[in-house]
Amino acid sequence: MGCAPSIHVSQSGVIYCRDSDESNSPHQTTTISQGTAAATLHGLFIKTDAAETIPSVITYQSRHSRNNSHRGRRENSGGHVRIEAETQTSHASVKQVSATEECVGPMRLTKEPIQVLLVFAKEDSQSDAFWWACDRAGFRCNIARTPESAVECFLDKHHEIIVIDGRHSRYFEPEAVCRMIRATKPSESTVILAVVPQKLPDQEEPSVLPLLCAGFSRRFVENSSVSACYNELIQIEHGEVRCQFKLRACNSVFTALEYCQEAVEITSEDHIIQYVNPAFERMMGYHRGELIGKELTELPKSDKNRADLLDTINTCIKKGKEWQGIYFARKKSGDSIQQQVKILPVIGQGGKIRHFVAIKRAHTDNNNQVLKMNKEDRCSGDHSQSECHSLRHRDRRKDSIDARSVGSRGSDAPSLQNRRYSSVARIHSMTIEAPITKVINIINTAQESSPVTVAEALDRVLEILRTTELYSPQLASKDDDPHTNDLVGGLMTDGLRRLSGNEYVFSKRTYMSQSQLAIPVTLSDVPPSIAEMLNDEERWEFNILDLEAATHKRPLTYLGLKIFTSFGVCDFLNCSEATLRSWLQLMEANYHSSNSYHNSTHAADVLHATAYFLRKERVKSSLDQLDEVAALIAATVHDVDHPGRTNSFLCNAGSELAILYNDTAVLESHHAALAFQLTIRDGKSNIFKNIDRNQFRTLRQAIIDMVLATEMTRHFEHVSKFVNSINKPMAAIEETSTSSTNSDCEGQSNIRNSPENRLLIKRMLIKCADVANPCRPLELCIEWAGRISEEYFAQTDEEKRQGLPVVMPVFDRNTCSVPKSQISFIDYFITDMFDAWDAFASLPNLMEHLSENYKYWKNLDDMKCKSLRPPPPS
Ligand code: AMP
Ligand code: ZN
């Protein structure tokens, strides 16, 4: 009939046991050594005989388990060997020790038997009385003899009740022991009882305060009657222990709140914020510490309409009804966020509303309709039981239902209404909405609660959103600046669709193939003069025109070999240098050397700028090697087979390519498509032949995306996306950070490294590389301006010759002011873009050149000079 279930072996390696069952007293002691512990599990009581110096804990599990089977378990933990005998109850009828159930709100909890720790230096009738009281109550009990073993045992078991012997301070100070235990975290929910001596007949009743101050919860006047101890323990159990048990169950509710997706805010009845969850912090941009204890109205002040809305909400929730609706809240950043909100009053002390729980989620307009519908139902139907809040601030639109609050959705809502609500919700949840529709809906909703001036401004915003090409700037007036007009018209549209007659040109184009190419050079064959020139390649001021001359107009192959090698492209693609060489030659051969601007020197120039940007720290740390390889390949091929005419020209002329690509991104589509066709056509120059299908697809996608990004019709879209998604968020982090802490860097690198933003960075990179000529040293800049002007002049000549619409009339060789055209090009396309790129990649020398070059053109223009250079002094 043994019942001692667990035995502790202290560091000293001595186990102290006592028979607790056979005798009715816990006083028989046996000392055994660690090696024989397992053999003596049954019916033994643990006790120290090594005086009071050895930490000891006596464990007793009440006699509910007298018919139990036992199973011994040894484990090593923290320097202690613990041997526990687990008990398995053989009958269900065993007295009250089985787990009981408790309810907290709707939660049903299972309560394990109570654990009691007796801290008694010496066993006596008092400790025995508690011992047997525990037994009677079905509580588990441990006895600790020293303060240290008490703490150790408590930290192990987290007892609900601790009884500390406070009758004699010979062994330990009871207050000190209590403080030691209270210093531990789990003691928060433990009841600590002080056993105090009986007062002498003529003694004053001592104050309980010193005990309370030491952390005791209660005082028990010494009484060795088992019943007295039993009564004390079960009173504690029914009172404080039960409350603590329920309170601790709330931890799971808080865990749910902490991790749930919806923002939750709990306030007091007078709107003092008591709790917000992390989703709330994320949504509003505040830290919890900034909010808790603040009054809701201390948050950024709202306008009059918001105050009206708050009144409406208050009226509803103060009546104990739930309020549900949509409103705009101000985030810490000052931005507004439209939220779908539910506010629930919670009854507390005195049967009064003591808290308001607000549950919020960012509102998408799918739900708006649902709410509007619901509101209509309520207003038109029976709303005697429901609160209807109409926020009719500005009912400017006849057909707009402006109420977005639907009052309480009490259990009394008619079932028809609920069915309607859910079916409308279903319909709306099926709607696939474009982001622009959501934007328009949000603005519509905002208008309804905005002052007239704001609502009217928003009307204009809506007009733009509904009707205009979002990223194409509209020039103020046609006559403003013909250079800008022509450039914008020429570069940013796909032609004037005024075709006169049947001018569709179906010329059969042939492309240079591998077999037609001269014997390729190897990197080691590169003539010393060229090799020396290439040593300068990493500098921005590298002179591509010198390389063009030295290589007899084949700068792309030589520079490509050098740059691709330095970026480890062959290793990445697992291709030989010979394949790379053939590929570079093939690409270069398919550039038109007859074009003054769009020839392989321009491609080499763009490749050079690309490599230069890729080496910039910020760029390097944002992209991976696949991105780098893709960027270098994209730069190399980005204008391949350029006919020296603009997209507009090709569309107007009804060229084969314009027909093929439906007048849309004609050239860029052609460059990308042809580059892949040529590459794959011949194994000798197929640099992709050794990479796997997935890698090829990823690389191909990245290359195509970059080549298409060079198309100027989407110039402003790419730049503004880069500014909004990268520049601004990065600047915001810089502004808010006091120092360059790790988390700031982490915040910035999170921005840079997201896949969407890496895409924007790559687009911006190739775009800037493509039109970097105004940022080159003056001589190069002038040469490029001359070349592009010549190409435009040639186009105008041809347009005139063929009777086609003249896309850029200012680029007439007889009348054109090159300085003016360069000023317009820089003003319109270059300055903002390079400001943004410089802010990201840090390019002080480019910006310096740009500013110098701009001054140069301004100066010429001031001198009324229309040519590339000032006239020679007379
Ligand atoms: P891409 O055809 O890929 O080189 O795209 C760049 C566009 O910018 C082309 O349409 C060029 O004509 C134009 N562009 C580049 N540099 C200049 C410049 N200095 N002046 C005027 N237009 C330029
Ligand atoms: Zn280009």
Side-chain angles (χ1 to χ4, degrees), residues 637-657:
V637 305
H638 88 281
D639 273 334
V640 70
D641 196 42
H642 197 293
R645 298 290 179 262
T646 62
N647 279 331
S648 302
F649 177 95
L650 298 179
C651 295
N652 288 338
S655 73
E656 186 186 9
L657 289 177

Side-chain angles (χ1 to χ4, degrees), residues 289-395:
E290 298 172 275
L291 297 174
I292 290 178
K294 301 256 167 65
E295 213 178 318
L296 264 185
T297 49
E298 278 180 34
L299 302 180
K301 287 278 179 256
S302 43
D303 61 22
K304 157 110 181 37
N305 295 320
R306 174 94 197 258
D308 290 350
L309 175 66
L310 287 176
D311 270 355
T312 315
I313 296 171
N314 269 334
T315 320
C316 177
I317 58 180
K318 289 253 153 119
K319 285 184 197 157
K321 307 233 177 202
E322 163 190 329
W323 182 88
Q324 185 175 316
I326 297 164
Y327 60 64
F328 278 87
R330 191 99 19 102
K331 298 209 267 189
K332 186 181 179 185
S333 62
D335 296 342
S336 291
I337 178 168
Q338 195 183 21
Q339 298 174 328
Q340 192 176 330
V341 183
K342 190 180 265 193
I343 304 177
L344 307 130
V346 179
I347 306 290
Q349 205 184 355
K352 296 188 180 146
I353 295 170
R354 294 295 180 188
H355 310 276
F356 294 111
V357 175
I359 299 159
K360 307 175 173 190
R361 59 165 72 162
H363 176 66
T364 57
D365 252 82
N366 284 342
N367 311 325
N368 198 19
Q369 276 309 107
V370 176
L371 290 166
K372 283 178 180 174
M373 183 59 138
N374 204 11
K375 154 73 173 54
E376 278 185 304
D377 285 351
R378 287 176 179 277
C379 288
S380 57
D382 166 25
H383 55 97
S384 55
Q385 311 248 19
S386 64
E387 288 294 315
C388 261
H389 302 289
S390 164
L391 305 176
R392 246 169 252 279
H393 296 300
R394 213 156 315 284
D395 197 356

Side-chain angles (χ1 to χ4, degrees), residues 487 491 597-598 602 638-639 642 710 712 770-771 773-774 785 788 792 822 825:
L487 270 171
L491 302 182
Y597 179 90
H598 285 103
H602 166 64
H638 88 281
D639 273 334
H642 197 293
T710 63
M712 296 300 276
D770 194 20
V771 292
N773 63 73
I788 191 68
Y792 289 155
Q822 289 307 297
F825 184 67

Side-chain angles (χ1 to χ4, degrees), residues 582-597:
S582 303
W583 179 80
L584 284 166
Q585 288 187 314
L586 182 62
M587 293 305 125
E588 183 150 40
N590 281 284
Y591 276 88
H592 300 196
S593 57
S594 54
N595 291 343
S596 62
Y597 179 90

Side-chain angles (χ1 to χ4, degrees), residues 478-490:
K478 262 280 165 208
D479 305 326
D480 243 358
D481 173 16
H483 292 86
T484 308
N485 272 326
D486 282 7
L487 270 171
V488 173

Side-chain angles (χ1 to χ4, degrees), residues 475-510:
L475 295 173
S477 134
K478 262 280 165 208
D479 305 326
D480 243 358
D481 173 16
H483 292 86
T484 308
N485 272 326
D486 282 7
L487 270 171
V488 173
L491 302 182
M492 298 200 44
T493 62
D494 296 317
L496 312 169
R497 291 172 180 82
R498 287 191 273 115
L499 294 180
S500 47
N502 294 324
E503 287 140 346
Y504 294 100
V505 180
F506 293 100
S507 65
K508 198 86 215 117
R509 275 206 58 79
T510 53

Side-chain angles (χ1 to χ4, degrees), residues 519-527 530-531 534-535 537-538 542 544 547 551 554-571 575-588 600 603-604 607-608 611 615 632-633 636 684 687:
I519 310 296
V521 290
T522 72
L523 200 53
S524 46
D525 288 343
V526 172
I530 296 177
L534 287 171
N535 284 338
E537 165 268 314
E538 292 197 13
F542 174 74
I544 196 80
L547 185 68
T551 58
R554 285 163 61 199
L556 185 58
T557 305
Y558 288 94
L559 186 67
L561 269 176
K562 179 84 200 281
I563 287 177
F564 277 51
T565 306
S566 91
F567 278 87
V569 176
C570 287
D571 290 341
C575 77
S576 65
E577 192 200 289
T579 310
L580 173 66
R581 219 183 311 130
S582 303
W583 179 80
L584 284 166
Q585 288 187 314
L586 182 62
M587 293 305 125
E588 183 150 40
S600 74
L607 175 62
H608 176 263
R615 290 183 182 119
L632 295 172
I633 295 174
T636 307
K684 253 171 81 184
I687 52 173

